[in-house]
Amino acid sequence: MKKKFSPSSDASISIFERLESEVRGYIRSFPVLFDRGVGTTLIAADGREYLDFFAGAGALNYGHNNPAFKKPVLDYIERDGIVHGLDLATSAKKAFIEAFERYILKPRGLNYKLQFTGPTGTNAVEAALKLARIVTGRSNIVAFANSFHGVSAGALSATGNKKYRSAAGYPLAHVTSLPYDGYLGPSVDTLDYFEKLLNDPSSGLDKPAAVILEAVQGEGGIYPASFQWLQRLRDLTKRHEILMIIDDIQAGVGRTGRFFSFEAAEIVPDIVTLSKSLSAIGTPMSLVLLKPELDVWSPGAHSGTFRGNNLAFIAARAALETYWADSKFEEEIGRKSAILAEELNLIIDDFPNLGLSVRGRGLMYGLVFQKHHSLPVQISREALRRGLVIETCGGQNEVLKFLFALTIAEADLRRGLSIVRDSISAVKNTMANASPKRLHGIEHR
C-alpha cells in the first residue's frame, strides 16, 4: 500500500535544531530527513517519496543522480583520478574546457576566456566585480532592484533584498541600485532614467565600472527582462564604455530555454558568471567568462583553494556531450515550457478571485500572489504534505517558484501541477472557513 505523504517526524531532524546554527534556511520550509534522489524524486529516510519542483535552487537542472553523469564520475574515482587540483592542469579540466568550447562557445560565436573561481556562485560574482573595477579604474557598480547576486560582501552590495543586506553587519557601498525592467510599471522604460543619469554631469551618479544583472531575476520574484530592454541596456553600456555583467548562475545552463539566458535577446555581455547547474550533478563549480581583452589578471591575483573540482569537470563535460551536442534538448525545454505556461494560466482561471498572475521564461516561472502575500508559503507547506517540494521567492515570498529539473517527464510535470492546484484549493478553503474576512472577496468554491 502506498504510504501517505507527510513530512518526516520532528524527531528525525531534531539534531539539526539542537546543533546547527540558526542561519539554516531551507530545512525550515522542508522539515524532512532526505536520504536519496533519483531524477525528479526525493526519497526521505523513512521511505516517503516527494516530487522535486525545487531542483537544489536551480543547481540540478538535469535532475538527481543523472546516470549520464554518475557513471563517468564513479569511473573517474575508481581509477584514482585527481579530485582536488587547485588550478593545476588535469585531464579532467582539459576535457571540460575542450567540450565547453566545442559545444557552447563555438556554436554561438562567442569568444570568452574561462576563469575558474572558488566553488560557489558568489565567488564568481566577486571575481567579476573585482575584474570590472581593475579594468576600468572605476569603483561604482550599477545593480537593479530585486536582484540577487550572493551574500559575500561584494556580491551582497549588489543584492537588493533587505533581509540579506541587513545581515552584512556594516554599510554596503560602491553600488548604485536602479529600477529593473517593469519595476515602475509596464508603461515606463526604466532605462530612460539610467540614460538621463549618465548624460547629466550633475546627476550625482559616479560613472560605473559595470552593470550587473540577471536576464531573468530569480530570488527577487521571477522577473524576466524584455529582449528590447536588454538590447537597449547593452547599447547604453557600449556607448558609455561600461562593462555588462550577466549573472547566469540560476537562469543559465538551459533554465530559460537556451544555454545562456541572454541568447534570445541576441546580446553579448562582456562578462558572464556561471555556477549551480554548470557542474551538472550538484558538485560545487563556478566559472567566469570574460572577453579576452579584459583578462588583465596577474598570475594568482584572484585565487581559491577549491577552484579545481575535478569531479565537477567530469560531470559537466558529460552533460555538455549528452544534452548540448545538438538542438534537441532546447526543443524539449521549449515544449515543456509551453505546457507549464498553459497549465499555470489554467490555474489562474480556476481561482479568479485570488488575483493571480504568472511570469517567467523557459522553465523558470513564478505564480504571483500579488493580493495575498502569505499564501505561497502556506501552499508550499500544503504541497509538501501532499508529496511535492516547491519553494517561494520574491521580496515578500509572494511568488510560488517553479524550478524543477529540465529533464522532468511530462507525466511528473503534470502531476506536480495538479498537486499545486489541489494545494491552492485546500489552503484557500481552510482560510476561508477559519475567517472569511482574512480572504476578503474570495468565494468558497
Side-chain angles (χ1 to χ4, degrees):
M1 186 175 71
K2 192 173 182 180
K3 294 183 178 180
K4 183 180 179 181
F5 291 126
S6 64
S8 300
S9 65
D10 291 341
S12 69
I13 59 172
S14 60
I15 192 170
F16 298 98
E17 183 173 358
R18 184 165 60 87
L19 291 180
E20 191 179 3
S21 166
E22 291 299 316
V23 79
R24 64 192 185 281
Y26 288 122
I27 188 176
R28 301 178 190 275
S29 300
F30 312 118
V32 176
L33 185 62
F34 293 110
D35 183 57
R36 292 184 294 136
V38 180
T40 51
T41 300
L42 283 164
I43 305 165
D46 60 10
R48 290 179 174 85
E49 294 186 359
Y50 298 81
L51 184 57
D52 185 7
F53 268 33
F54 176 53
L60 295 167
N61 282 4
Y62 308 103
H64 296 269
N65 289 303
N66 191 314
F69 321 143
K70 187 166 65 172
K71 188 176 188 307
V73 169
L74 293 175
D75 289 346
Y76 185 75
I77 294 172
E78 183 65 27
R79 74 171 183 83
D80 295 326
I82 300 275
V83 174
H84 177 264
L86 295 165
D87 64 355
L88 294 171
T90 67
S91 58
K93 186 176 184 179
K94 178 175 182 287
F96 166 74
I97 294 174
E98 291 171 342
F100 196 83
E101 180 183 41
R102 178 180 179 183
Y103 297 115
I104 303 302
L105 296 182
K106 283 189 173 180
R108 292 160 179 79
L110 296 173
N111 183 23
Y112 287 125
K113 294 188 74 174
L114 280 60
Q115 179 185 355
F116 296 90
T117 66
T120 71
T122 196
N123 298 137
V125 170
E126 293 286 352
L129 297 179
K130 185 190 292 187
L131 180 62
R133 286 164 168 146
I134 293 171
V135 168
T136 64
R138 308 177 210 130
S139 61
N140 192 31
I141 300 289
V142 162
F144 293 92
N146 291 313
S147 61
F148 181 87
H149 298 292
V151 295
S152 56
L156 184 58
S157 296
T159 292
N161 189 283
K162 181 180 179 180
K163 175 182 72 174
Y164 298 114
R165 292 178 64 85
S166 63
Y170 60 89
L172 300 169
H174 305 298
V175 172
T176 300
S177 182
L178 295 179
Y180 191 72
D181 187 25
Y183 187 77
L184 299 176
S187 64
V188 177
D189 186 341
T190 57
L191 292 179
D192 288 343
Y193 178 51
F194 187 20
E195 187 165 23
K196 176 69 174 178
L197 293 175
L198 289 171
N199 290 332
D200 183 356
S202 295
S203 69
L205 175 70
D206 294 328
K207 185 175 181 179
V211 297
I212 183 169
L213 71 151
E214 305 149 272
V216 179
Q217 292 184 328
E219 298 305 306
I222 312 297
Y223 288 101
S226 70
F227 298 153
Q228 294 80 8
W229 190 86
L230 290 170
Q231 290 163 357
R232 185 182 175 191
L233 179 61
R234 174 70 284 202
D235 178 67
L236 194 60
T237 55
K238 282 182 178 179
R239 284 191 285 111
H240 288 271
E241 298 182 329
I242 300 166
L243 299 179
M244 173 186 266
I245 303 170
I246 291 287
D247 181 341
D248 240 4
I249 288 165
Q250 186 169 102
V253 194
R255 176 53 61 182
T256 62
R258 301 189 186 180
F259 189 86
F260 296 109
S261 67
F262 55 82
E263 285 185 63
E266 299 181 337
I267 62 171
V268 178
D270 299 295
I271 302 173
V272 183
T273 60
L274 293 169
S275 188
K276 286 189 181 284
S277 282
L278 181 62
S279 78
I281 204 166
T283 48
M285 179 183 179
S286 292
L287 183 65
V288 175
L289 307 180
L290 55 144
K291 289 185 176 180
E293 62 269 24
L294 303 179
D295 190 17
V296 299
W297 293 113
S298 59
H302 190 84
S303 190
T305 300
F306 293 102
R307 65 193 184 280
N309 186 343
N310 285 260
L311 297 184
F313 297 149
I314 293 292
R317 175 199 176 188
L320 298 178
E321 293 173 342
T322 302
Y323 291 101
W324 299 100
D326 53 37
S327 62
K328 292 179 181 177
F329 190 50
E330 287 186 0
E331 292 167 2
E332 184 69 10
I333 295 170
R335 188 181 69 83
K336 293 172 185 173
S337 176
I339 293 172
L340 176 60
E342 180 183 15
E343 291 298 318
L344 288 178
N345 280 302
L346 288 175
I347 288 175
I348 290 174
D349 293 340
D350 286 346
F351 302 95
N353 296 311
L354 285 180
L356 303 177
S357 62
V358 62
R359 56 182 181 238
R361 185 177 298 149
L363 291 177
M364 187 175 184
Y365 266 82
L367 189 61
V368 186
F369 291 73
Q370 201 61 54
K371 290 168 59 177
H372 307 286
H373 295 166
S374 65
L375 290 189
V377 170
Q378 297 175 59
I379 291 164
S380 174
R381 290 171 183 163
E382 179 63 28
L384 187 67
R385 286 191 283 271
R386 294 168 181 264
L388 177 72
V389 174
I390 186 168
E391 70 166 329
T392 63
C393 63
Q396 300 179 72
N397 286 314
E398 74 279 10
V399 180
L400 199 62
K401 186 179 186 181
F402 294 81
L403 209 69
F404 45 77
L406 309 180
T407 54
I408 192 170
E410 182 179 334
D412 284 339
L413 169 56
R414 293 188 182 278
R415 179 165 64 92
L417 290 168
S418 179
I419 294 173
V420 169
R421 180 182 285 104
D422 292 343
S423 299
I424 294 173
S425 181
V427 168
K428 188 201 72 170
N429 290 337
T430 297
M431 293 186 68
N433 290 336
S435 178
K437 291 182 180 180
R438 292 178 65 185
L439 288 182
H440 179 68
I442 297 178
E443 298 174 3
H444 182 71
R445 293 163 59 93

